[in-house]
């Protein structure tokens, strides 16, 4: 699978939300994309998944501009105020909703088994989970859907901690054959030692060596 964004730009009521950005994501690869907090990272995540129509430019899935196909194939993980779970919910409720959306069994027994397999607390408020545990839970729920072939992680570094943790989670999913895009700050990319694609740029396709490095 290949997702190609060409000159994708998003304008809001009060100005530009996302400067023209071009990039390519492919199955089995992890693409790190860096941008400052107000650069439109969430707008890019939504555009890549067919959930936001660009003002200019286009996003194609395997050569076809089909937003509905993108929505089915691409899961956006933890987008602030969009796919981000309500912090006050107990973890079991977040899991039940996620399994239901993925078309999986979501009754009490199924949720309990899912949580026990991951040693997660059922009654803890979701907002009290550590950043890495939160991201791992949401990634695991996203890939429960058989239709999902790509993940876009929306700024997991905003929860703090060592970025190597969520980067490794993303790399594992790429190694399983998914196309994975991880949005983060330039500082996180520097800490990871990974040369990222940039929001607001025409990004060249990463080389084979860059891809291999990202999946280590």
């Amino acid at each position: 699978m290949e997702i190609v964004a060409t000159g994708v730009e998003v304008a809001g009521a009060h100005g530009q939300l996302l400067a023209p950005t071009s990039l390519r994501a492919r199955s089995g690869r992890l693409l790190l994309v860096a941008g400052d907090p107000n650069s439109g990272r969430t707008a890019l995540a939504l555009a890549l998944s067919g959930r936001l129509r660009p003002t200019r430019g286009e996003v194609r899935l395997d050569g076809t501009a089909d937003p509905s196909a993108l929505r089915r194939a691409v899961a956006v993980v933890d987008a602030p105020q969009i796919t981000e779970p309500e912090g006050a919910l107990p973890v079991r409720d977040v899991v039940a909703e996620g399994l239901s959306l993925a078309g999986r069994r979501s009754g009490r027994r199924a949720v309990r088994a899912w949580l026990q397999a991951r040693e997660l607390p059922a009654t803890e408020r979701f907002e009290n989970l550590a950043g890495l545990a939160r991201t791992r839970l949401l990634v695991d729920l996203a890939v429960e859907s058989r239709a999902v072939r790509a993940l876009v992680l929306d700024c997991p570094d905003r929860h703090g901690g060592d970025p190597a943790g969520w980067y490794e989670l993303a790399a594992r999913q790429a190694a399983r054959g998914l196309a994975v895009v991880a949005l983060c700050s330039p500082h996180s990319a520097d800490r990871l030692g990974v040369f990222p694609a940039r929001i607001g740029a025409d990004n060249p396709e990463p080389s084979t060596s860059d891809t291999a490095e990202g999946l280590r």
Side-chain angles (χ1 to χ4, degrees):
M1 186 189 73
E2 181 179 70
I3 300 170
V4 178
T6 306
V8 171
E9 181 179 359
V10 177
H14 303 289
Q16 189 180 61
L17 296 179
L18 173 67
T21 302
S22 298
L23 55 81
R24 186 187 305 265
R26 290 181 173 177
S27 297
R29 296 188 178 186
L30 167 56
L31 177 65
L32 193 69
V33 182
D36 293 323
N38 296 319
S39 61
R41 294 178 299 195
T42 295
L44 178 59
L46 298 178
L48 290 175
S49 63
R51 291 168 174 83
L52 178 63
R53 182 177 180 178
T55 307
R56 296 185 181 86
E58 63 179 4
V59 180
R60 290 181 172 267
L61 174 63
D62 293 332
T64 302
D66 186 346
S68 62
L70 279 169
R71 289 192 294 272
R72 290 191 298 271
V74 185
V76 178
V77 178
D78 205 20
Q81 300 180 2
I82 299 173
T83 63
E84 174 185 44
E86 171 60 46
L89 289 175
V91 171
R92 66 187 174 201
D93 288 1
V94 173
V95 171
E97 181 179 8
L99 291 176
S100 178
L101 290 172
R104 300 288 190 172
R105 292 182 179 179
S106 56
R108 291 182 180 179
R109 182 177 298 178
V111 169
R112 183 167 58 249
W114 198 94
L115 289 168
Q116 288 176 347
R118 293 160 179 79
E119 299 183 345
L120 288 169
T123 59
E124 185 69 70
R125 288 165 66 105
F126 182 73
E127 63 190 2
N128 291 336
L129 291 181
L132 182 57
R134 169 195 182 107
T135 302
R136 179 182 291 112
L137 182 153
L138 295 177
V139 166
D140 284 354
L141 285 174
V143 299
E144 286 285 353
S145 172
R146 294 182 177 90
V148 167
R149 296 187 290 153
L151 299 177
V152 180
L153 278 64
D154 192 353
C155 305
D157 53 342
R158 72 183 190 275
H159 304 302
D162 187 345
W166 55 258
Y167 189 78
E168 182 180 353
L169 290 176
R172 288 176 185 171
Q173 295 302 324
R176 291 181 57 239
L178 275 68
V180 183
V181 177
L183 301 166
C184 70
S185 69
H187 176 67
S188 292
D190 288 344
R191 288 184 63 186
L192 289 166
V194 176
F195 186 77
R198 298 280 180 174
I199 289 179
D202 184 2
N203 295 283
E205 186 173 359
S207 68
T208 302
S209 59
D210 291 338
T211 301
E213 184 68 24
L215 295 178
R216 286 180 185 174

